[in-house]
């Protein structure tokens, strides 16, 4: 008999979450200017805003925290983290930072200047923000299949090699400080990049003498998809695949709040000692001394343990199976979502969900607000609001995809919560024809507006 599947963990500590009425939520979201970031967390029942820093640490991570070394310089915890990075990711040098965007800030301070271009696969918004802030340009070279949510391609995070080569040919290497490969590619739906693509990118990078950095927030989930979908790697362990992936990179930035399963932390890792030295100065200015860089000793201990747990097949299987569980319920209910289902989240295709709403009325945000009002579920818009305005023309940038992301925190919710989310979504979907109007912007910041934007219902 084939035994049924069950999670490889049990629960040792619980946290109360709060129910509310639709009437209360209508009032709260109006007061929050229809910006889900402005809500108090007690006013959210199921919080799928992000999988970043919201996961549950294990008993081993908590016990590692108790023996953190809080010395300013040379802490044991720094060396524990250094050893974990060397063992799991293969990099010699590393700098701790308080989170992923801080890693970007430090690395880019040492590498990117005005007028540069940085090709990659749908750069994450903070990555793009840090590039554009330096008056450089992020060029998206993702394969076209990624922008059609109905195409079932196994590696929708892949870089289109022709698009990449065009950029590498067009600009001199002095203007291309790096290629950034985001694994998994968050902005295109938590979609993986294949090892084959990583090898091909390496070849092009060598030909044009440009370094490669991986934005590695969800590198372990990427490795899990490689094991399942790329024939050559199906018999390797996750840790072996991770080694294989990183062989083709010169360095990485990491938001440890994802696949290292901690609530706060990040780092930069690299092979070049010269770059390490250059970046160290910026780390000291922006983050802290090189052996703690914005992290406490206990957090570095938990991170090192998290890197090990996060690259365990059984853990990853439970994690990704839960995301698939919700995704499959959505598909069964006819809800248009990005396919194949991503690693950390479900991405609702809002243009197909509410085709009657024009793009000027922020379609994805309109769907996200409905989810909150009807069910107390908080997702996030990955559409026009997130895409910001063009830095030169100040016109809205309308991305190909208008998505609502429901990100699943690691080891946090049960499948009953997933059932609840699926039911609420179905209810909204079944009455979608009643929606006549979207939203308008009342005020916004000049860059990264989606955190603080204020909106009103039309
Ligand atoms: N890169 C990727 C691919 C990310 O998804 C994130 C964060 C970052 C970099 C920045 O890291 O938050 O630690 O500063 N993503 C979060 C999210 C915020 O909700 O997807 P950070």
């Amino acid at each position: 008999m084939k035994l049924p599947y069950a999670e490889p963990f049990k629960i040792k500590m619980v946290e109360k979450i709060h129910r509310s009425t639709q009437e209360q939520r209508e009032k709260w979201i109006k007061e929050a200017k229809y910006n889900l970031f402005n809500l108090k967390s007690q006013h959210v029942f199921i919080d799928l805003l992000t999988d970043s820093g919201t996961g549950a640490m294990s008993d081993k991570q908590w016990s590692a925290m108790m023996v953190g070394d809080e010395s300013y310089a040379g802490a044991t915890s720094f060396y524990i983290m250094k050893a974990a990075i060397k063992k799991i990711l293969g990099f010699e040098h590393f700098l701790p930072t308080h989170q992923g965007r801080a890693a970007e800030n430090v690395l880019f301070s040492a590498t990117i200047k005005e007028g540069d271009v940085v090709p990659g696969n749908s750069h994450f918004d903070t990555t793009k923000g840090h590039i554009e802030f330096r008056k450089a340009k992020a060029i998206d070279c993702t394969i076209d299949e990624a922008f059609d949510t109905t195409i079932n391609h196994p590696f929708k995070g892949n870089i289109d090699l022709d698009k990449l080569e065009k950029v590498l040919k067009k600009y001199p290497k002095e203007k291309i400080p790096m290629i950034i490969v985001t694994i998994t590619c968050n902005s295109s739906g938590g979609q993986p990049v294949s090892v084959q693509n990583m090898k091909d990118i390496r070849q092009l990078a060598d030909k044009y003498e440009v370094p490669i950095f991986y934005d590695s927030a969800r590198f372990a989930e990427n490795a899990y998809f490689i094991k399942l979908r790329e024939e050559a790697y199906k018999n390797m362990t996750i840790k072996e695949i991770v080694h294989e992936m990183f062989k083709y990179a010169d360095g990485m930035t990491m938001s440890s709040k994802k696949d290292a399963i901690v609530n706060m932390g990040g780092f930069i890792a690299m092979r070049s000692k010269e770059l390490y030295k250059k970046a160290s100065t910026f780390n000291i200015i922006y983050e802290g001394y090189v052996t703690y860089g914005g992290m406490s000793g206990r957090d570095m201990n938990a991170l090192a343990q998290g890197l090990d747990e996060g690259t365990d097949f059984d853990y990853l299987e439970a994690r990704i199976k839960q995301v698939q569980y919700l995704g499959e319920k959505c598909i069964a209910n006819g809800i248009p979502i990005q396919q194949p289902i991503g690693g950390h989240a479900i991405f609702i295709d809002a243009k197909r969900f509410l085709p009657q709403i024009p793009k000027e009325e922020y379609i994805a945000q309109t769907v996200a607000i409905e989810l909150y009002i009807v069910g107390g579920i908080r997702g996030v818009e990955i559409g026009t609001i997130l895409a910001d305005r063009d830095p030169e023309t100040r016109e809205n940038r309308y991305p190909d995809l208008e998505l609502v992301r429901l990100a699943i925190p690691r080891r946090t919710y049960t499948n009953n919560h997933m059932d609840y989310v699926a039911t609420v979504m179905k209810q909204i979907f079944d009455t979608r024809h009643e929606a006549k109007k979207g939203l308008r912007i009342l005020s916004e910041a000049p860059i990264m507006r989606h955190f603080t934007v204020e909106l009103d219902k039309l």
Side-chain angles (χ1 to χ4, degrees), residues 15 77 356 389:
E15 176 184 345
S77 299
Q356 70 272 33
R389 292 179 188 274

Side-chain angles (χ1 to χ4, degrees), residues 193-219:
V193 176
S194 68
V195 172
Q196 187 57 51
N197 196 241
M198 293 176 189
K199 284 186 190 172
D200 294 340
I201 298 164
R202 181 78 256 173
Q203 260 194 358
L204 281 181
D206 287 345
K207 182 169 161 195
Y208 293 91
E209 295 174 54
V210 173
I212 302 171
F213 277 78
Y214 290 172
D215 175 351
S216 315
R218 301 179 183 84
F219 74 95

Side-chain angles (χ1 to χ4, degrees), residues 50 99-101 104 124 126 182 186 215 218 255 258 405:
T50 180
Q99 62 183 86
R101 69 200 68 186
E104 290 161 0
F124 183 65
T126 60
T182 305
N186 187 0
D215 175 351
R218 301 179 183 84
S255 168
K258 284 83 167 177
R405 186 185 75 173

Side-chain angles (χ1 to χ4, degrees), residues 4 46 112 222 335 396 408 416:
I46 298 184
I112 299 180
N222 199 93
I335 293 163
N396 264 333
I408 316 298
N416 279 336

Side-chain angles (χ1 to χ4, degrees), residues 311-341:
T311 48
D312 171 60
F313 178 81
D314 290 345
Y315 152 75
L316 280 166
E317 185 182 40
R319 152 69 175 161
I320 292 179
K321 265 186 194 285
Q322 185 173 52
V323 178
Q324 310 267 321
Y325 177 84
L326 175 59
E328 276 155 20
K329 292 223 154 194
C330 295
I331 295 168
N333 290 334
I335 293 163
I337 62 166
Q338 161 84 303
Q339 293 198 45
I341 298 160

